[in-house]
């Protein structure tokens, strides 16, 4: 066997695979979560200026000073977390790297890590690469609440961490203060960490409020908070994010990060600092933009016959397609790409317990309205048996 065992323990990303299939069939890509427009103009200009001004060699491995200082200001103002840019922030190549580096820094083989399902598909492989055992707890349809008893039963003396993702992909759920308090209680009782992915922190609907779990009593030193630029500034290709944690944890994350990637792109970090200084109106506009698209796609999907779960946040809609008579999500997703011309993500890719996702499929609405309308016309061809 050429491959190491760990490379055989999980499959390729279904989401990225759907994008490739979509390109092959020239379908509309409502699968992978990226917008079809550019980052803000002033941020693009700042990146060009940085390249022309000599920011072309390695930045400090854990992040350019300028960017870390801007992150510390943002963490205080937006998340309510005061942190020291010298000792508590690590800039990474996307939240993807931040999560992997965080896990490699704090998790030992044999540990257990609690993961809610449906989950963002990277978390399972991240846990497995760390040598740990993922323990899954369901967020139940239709409102994606968890059963506190089920969560408690998932914790054990071997639990090293729980992975939290709020606002959540794929469900669009925003964890409430009460739910976070339950998690806090368990982390304290079982001496576990929370690794929280808050990449959708700015994209919230209906006046909902995002709460960073690190702000709850006793959690500051038990939490690794991961935020990133991909979604907030429409720059998924820039690969910029950051992990915020107490100095001792950050020291471990920085070592892992250094030997994984050395650092994130130096000129883009300069521009990313500019993004963090955008006025409040930028975020109001961003939410208004996505809220309009949420309503548009919700109408389209319901009109076409899907059961669609209205998201509280982020830019995805989870649906149930049972009405169309298909029994398998992958079969249905392939039919959609090949025969209807729309790509979406099969539900099972978000679940360990595959049966929970068998009749589910996720659509992404970070697309121009005319693209969503065209997808709507195509989905209108779906027939119920
Ligand atoms: C919950 C969540 N975390 C992380 C990522 C990836 O973030 P990044 O582009 O910063 O690696 C995504 C992308 O879809 C996501 O949905």
């Amino acid at each position: 066997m050429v491959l190491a065992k760990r490379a055989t323990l999980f499959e390729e990303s279904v989401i990225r695979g759907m994008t490739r299939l979509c390109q092959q069939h020239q379908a509309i890509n409502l699968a992978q979560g990226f917008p079809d427009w550019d980052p803000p103009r002033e941020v693009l200009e700042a990146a060009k200026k940085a390249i022309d001004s000599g920011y072309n060699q390695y930045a400090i491995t854990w992040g350019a000073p300028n960017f870390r200082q801007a992150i510390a200001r943002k963490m205080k103002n937006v998340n309510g977390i005061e942190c020291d840019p010298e000792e508590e922030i690590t800039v990474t190549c996307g939240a993807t790297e931040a999560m992997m580096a965080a896990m490699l820094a704090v998790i030992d083989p044999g540990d257990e890590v609690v993961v809610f399902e449906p989950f963002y598909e990277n978390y399972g492989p991240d846990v497995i690469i760390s040598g740990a055992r993922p323990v899954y707890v369901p967020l139940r349809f239709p409102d994606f609440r968890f059963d506190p008893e089920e969560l408690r039963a998932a914790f054990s003396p071997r639990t090293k961490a729980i992975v939290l993702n709020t606002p959540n992909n794929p469900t669009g759920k925003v964890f409430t203060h009460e739910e976070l308090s339950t998690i806090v209680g368990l982390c304290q009782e079982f001496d576990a960490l929370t690794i929280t992915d808050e990449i959708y922190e700015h994209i919230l609907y209906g006046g909902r409020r995002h709460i960073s779990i690190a702000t709850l009593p006793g959690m500051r030193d038990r939490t690794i908070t991961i935020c990133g630029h991909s979604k907030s500034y429409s720059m998924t290709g820039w690969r910029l994010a950051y992990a915020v944690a107490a100095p001792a944890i950050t020291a471990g994350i920085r070592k892992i990060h250094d030997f994984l990637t050395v650092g994130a792109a130096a000129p883009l970090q300069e521009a990313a600092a500019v993004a963090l200084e955008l006025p409040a109106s930028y975020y109001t506009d961003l939410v208004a933009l996505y809220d309009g698209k949420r309503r548009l796609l919700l109408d389209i999907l319901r009109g076409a016959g899907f059961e669609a779960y209205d998201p509280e946040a982020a830019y995805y809609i989870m649906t149930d397609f049972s009405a169309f008579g298909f029994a398998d999500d992958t079969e249905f997703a392939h039919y959609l790409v090949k025969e209807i011309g729309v790509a979406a993500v099969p539900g099972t890719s978000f679940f360990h317990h595959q049966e929970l996702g068998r009749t589910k499929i996720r659509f992404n609405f970070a697309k121009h309205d005319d693209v969503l309308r065209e997808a709507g016309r195509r989905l209108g061809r779906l027939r119920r048996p």
Side-chain angles (χ1 to χ4, degrees):
M1 179 54 138
V2 181
L3 291 179
K5 183 153 180 267
R6 80 175 72 81
T8 65
L9 295 178
F10 50 90
E11 302 302 322
E12 253 184 79
S13 157
V14 175
I15 301 181
R16 268 85 76 191
M18 283 311 298
T19 289
R20 290 194 295 276
L21 192 69
C22 179
Q23 284 161 350
Q24 249 174 42
H25 291 274
Q26 289 162 7
I28 295 176
N29 191 353
L30 303 189
Q32 200 173 356
F34 60 88
D36 57 0
W37 53 83
D38 277 336
R41 174 63 29 206
E42 53 271 58
V43 181
L44 293 177
E45 292 307 327
K48 291 182 207 165
K49 192 165 149 225
I51 288 172
D52 285 339
S53 315
Y55 289 95
N56 296 303
Q57 311 308 329
Y58 300 122
I60 293 176
T61 177
W62 48 80
N66 208 12
F67 187 29
R68 273 183 289 119
Q69 280 150 19
I71 292 169
R73 284 193 294 278
K74 175 265 174 184
M75 289 306 294
K76 179 165 180 244
N77 297 335
V78 175
N79 306 77
I81 301 171
E82 296 220 27
C83 59
D84 177 358
E86 293 310 316
E87 293 200 70
E88 297 188 301
I89 296 173
T90 311
V91 172
T92 59
C93 301
T96 302
E97 194 225 335
M99 182 57 77
M100 189 72 261
M103 286 200 199
L104 290 173
V106 299
I107 288 164
D108 276 317
D111 286 346
E112 290 178 1
V113 178
V114 177
V115 180
F116 289 108
E117 64 178 341
F119 44 71
Y120 174 57
E121 63 168 359
N122 286 27
Y123 305 149
D126 288 348
V127 174
I128 292 167
I129 290 170
S130 311
R133 190 173 82 86
V135 180
Y136 296 96
V137 175
L139 298 172
R140 302 266 180 213
F141 288 86
D143 56 1
F144 306 113
R145 293 186 69 83
F146 60 84
D147 174 346
E149 287 312 312
E150 254 177 326
L151 185 62
R152 157 165 274 283
F155 276 73
S156 83
R158 285 184 301 280
T159 305
K160 186 63 190 283
I162 176 168
V163 177
L164 176 67
N165 172 213
T166 181
N168 183 265
N169 170 16
T171 63
K173 173 190 174 66
V174 180
F175 282 70
T176 62
H177 191 276
E178 184 203 349
E179 290 172 318
L180 295 178
S181 300
T182 304
I183 297 170
V184 168
L186 291 168
C187 283
Q188 284 169 341
E189 186 182 335
F190 289 89
D191 193 18
L193 299 168
T194 295
I195 309 177
T196 170
D197 176 345
E198 304 186 0
I199 196 160
Y200 296 101
E201 62 189 336
H202 287 296
I203 307 174
L204 300 156
Y205 309 118
R208 287 199 176 68
R209 205 164 64 88
H210 164 63
I211 305 170
S212 287
I213 195 168
T215 61
L216 270 66
M219 287 307 283
R220 179 66 176 79
D221 292 344
R222 285 195 180 277
T223 306
I224 302 172
T225 305
I226 295 171
C227 302
H229 275 38
S230 283
K231 316 291 174 173
S232 300
Y233 307 102
S234 309
M235 47 172 71
T236 59
W238 285 34
R239 317 303 309 122
L240 283 175
Y242 42 95
V244 176
I249 298 178
T250 294
I253 296 175
R254 285 180 173 185
K255 268 195 286 184
I256 301 282
H257 158 75
D258 188 3
F259 290 108
L260 279 178
T261 65
V262 178
L268 301 187
Q269 292 191 51
E270 296 304 315
V274 171
L276 290 176
E277 306 298 342
L278 287 168
S281 60
Y282 169 77
Y283 302 97
T284 320
D285 293 349
L286 183 78
V287 169
L289 177 82
Y290 279 123
D291 203 23
K293 294 178 186 303
R294 175 184 67 86
R295 289 161 204 260
L296 176 59
L297 188 62
L298 210 51
D299 282 352
I300 287 172
L301 293 171
R302 286 179 175 161
F306 289 89
E307 183 179 352
Y309 304 94
D310 190 359
E312 299 173 343
Y315 49 53
Y316 307 96
I317 299 179
M318 259 304 222
T319 67
D320 188 294
F321 58 81
S322 306
F324 302 112
F326 284 79
D328 181 85
D329 60 319
T330 305
E331 188 197 332
F332 182 63
H334 283 234
Y335 173 80
L336 274 190
V337 175
K338 292 177 190 164
E339 306 299 330
I340 301 289
V342 176
V345 183
T348 50
S349 65
F350 302 106
F351 289 92
H352 170 70
H353 296 99
Q354 299 273 291
E355 68 282 5
L356 298 176
R358 196 70 74 200
T359 59
K360 307 288 187 280
I361 193 159
R362 188 202 75 178
F363 293 87
N364 145 41
F365 54 83
K367 300 292 160 210
H368 286 295
D369 287 359
D370 54 347
V371 174
L372 294 175
R373 286 199 191 92
E374 176 53 27
R377 271 187 288 278
R378 296 181 185 192
L379 292 170
R381 294 205 296 267
L382 278 167
R383 288 289 162 257
R384 295 180 226 195

